[in-house]
Amino acid sequence: MSHNDNYVGKLIEDGDELFSIKKYEEAIDAYNKALEMYPKDQSAWESKGNAHFN
């Protein structure tokens, strides 16, 4: 796992935490940052979509 992979994972975890406390716009921002670095991350896309529906 590279440094970028670790950073992308951390951004997704941050987004998940923000989502869990209903800070949906901030969660979307975290997922967007992760997707800028790794646009094929299925987890980030799915989580971003879930945040948009809340």
Side-chain angles (χ1 to χ4, degrees), residues 1-12 33-39 41:
M1 194 176 255
S2 73
H3 176 71
N4 280 349
D5 291 339
N6 289 333
Y7 186 64
V8 169
K10 175 73 170 109
L11 286 168
I12 294 169
K33 288 178 187 174
L35 289 165
E36 285 175 15
M37 297 181 74
Y38 189 68
D41 191 291

Side-chain angles (χ1 to χ4, degrees), residues 1-52:
M1 194 176 255
S2 73
H3 176 71
N4 280 349
D5 291 339
N6 289 333
Y7 186 64
V8 169
K10 175 73 170 109
L11 286 168
I12 294 169
E13 287 176 13
D14 290 348
D16 291 345
E17 178 63 28
L18 290 162
F19 182 92
S20 74
I21 58 173
K22 301 182 187 222
K23 293 188 175 187
Y24 302 118
E25 289 300 320
E26 288 140 333
I28 290 168
D29 290 342
Y31 299 135
N32 282 337
K33 288 178 187 174
L35 289 165
E36 285 175 15
M37 297 181 74
Y38 189 68
K40 294 183 179 183
D41 191 291
Q42 181 178 351
S43 175
W45 280 111
E46 182 178 348
S47 296
K48 180 181 174 180
N50 289 334
H52 273 289

